[in-house]
């Protein structure tokens, strides 16, 4: 069977066009070395026969990157349909409200506080959310073996000035490690 090659440019374009507004760069305020990317996540709770859905929206990120007293969130222009009042915002008591998801290393934050802040500032978030249909399932992960598989990571670059935090896609490979437990 001939080896397949990925058209990385087209895949990156598809990722950014479908998920470009799902990331939110943040960092520990007044520090130069603690950066993170949170993802807007849409958790479907219920759906009726008429297509009406009940869902809850969260930010989702690495739990280790939520233990700050004060965080600075960078506001990209595409995250609102109207002009935002600033290029960033400070969240006091940032670590409060994050809920660890078991021992997965992931934490979630209900987004009500972010929506309330935007309303007070007279703008509204315009986001793309990661959904269960987009996220990898346990079965997807179980199929990964010892042969490299292309992997794409969406996040935010930490450039030399450490303030801009441009969105970026990194291309690499993922492979299960020798003991079969990690990657």
């Amino acid at each position: 069977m001939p080896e397949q090659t990925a058209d990385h440019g087209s895949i990156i374009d598809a990722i950014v066009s479908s998920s470009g507004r799902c990331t939110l760069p943040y960092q520990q305020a007044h520090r130069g070395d603690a950066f993170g990317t949170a993802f807007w996540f849409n958790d479907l709770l219920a759906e009726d026969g008429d297509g009406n859905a009940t869902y809850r929206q969260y930010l989702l990120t690495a739990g280790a990157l939520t233990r700050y007293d004060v965080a600075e969130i960078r506001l990209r222009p595409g995250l609102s349909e109207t002009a935002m009042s600033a290029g960033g915002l400070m969240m006091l008591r940032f670590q409060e409200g994050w809920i660890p998801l078991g021992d997965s290393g992931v934490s979630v934050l209900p987004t009500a506080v972010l929506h309330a802040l935007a309303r007070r500032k007279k703008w509204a978030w315009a986001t793309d959310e990661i959904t269960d249909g987009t996220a990898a399932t346990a079965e997807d992960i179980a199929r990964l073996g010892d042969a490299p598989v292309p992997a794409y990571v969406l996040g935010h670059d930490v450039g030399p000035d450490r303030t801009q935090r441009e969105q970026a896609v990194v291309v690499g490979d993922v492979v299960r490690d020798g003991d079969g437990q990690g990657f």
Side-chain angles (χ1 to χ4, degrees):
M1 180 180 276
E3 186 176 318
Q4 293 183 351
T5 59
D7 175 3
H8 294 303
S10 294
I11 293 170
I12 290 169
D13 289 346
I15 290 169
V16 172
S17 71
S18 68
S19 302
R21 295 186 309 177
C22 75
T23 64
L24 194 59
Y26 68 96
Q27 69 187 71
Q28 184 174 11
H30 310 297
R31 305 284 174 137
D33 58 355
F35 297 92
T37 296
F39 292 84
W40 296 89
F41 182 78
N42 178 338
D43 186 20
L44 179 64
L45 301 176
E47 193 170 18
D48 65 20
D50 296 330
N52 297 317
T54 302
Y55 67 93
R56 189 168 292 141
Q57 188 183 60
Y58 297 95
L59 286 182
L60 178 121
T61 196
L65 299 176
T66 63
R67 299 182 185 118
Y68 313 146
D69 289 333
V70 182
E72 178 184 348
I73 297 175
R74 303 301 310 158
L75 300 175
R76 295 181 294 119
L79 294 176
S80 175
E81 299 294 339
T82 60
M84 294 180 169
S85 56
L89 56 94
M90 300 295 256
M91 279 187 73
L92 304 176
R93 298 181 306 278
F94 184 69
Q95 75 278 8
E96 294 177 15
W98 287 95
I99 303 162
L101 296 181
D103 61 357
S104 68
V106 173
S107 291
V108 296
L109 174 72
T111 59
V113 65
L114 293 172
H115 289 290
L117 178 116
R119 280 191 302 275
R120 282 194 314 272
K121 300 292 184 179
K122 308 288 190 236
W123 56 272
W125 293 97
T127 63
D128 299 322
E129 293 94 14
I130 300 297
T131 65
D132 285 335
T134 307
T137 65
E139 293 80 21
D140 295 329
I141 294 169
R143 282 195 296 271
L144 293 172
D146 58 0
V149 176
Y152 301 85
V153 178
L154 177 64
H156 293 271
D157 185 26
V158 180
D161 71 357
R162 302 176 93 54
T163 59
Q164 200 60 16
R165 303 291 313 277
E166 295 294 327
Q167 194 174 53
V169 177
V170 176
V171 181
D173 292 314
V174 65
V175 61
R176 194 171 290 278
D177 68 13
D179 67 6
Q181 300 301 310
F183 299 94

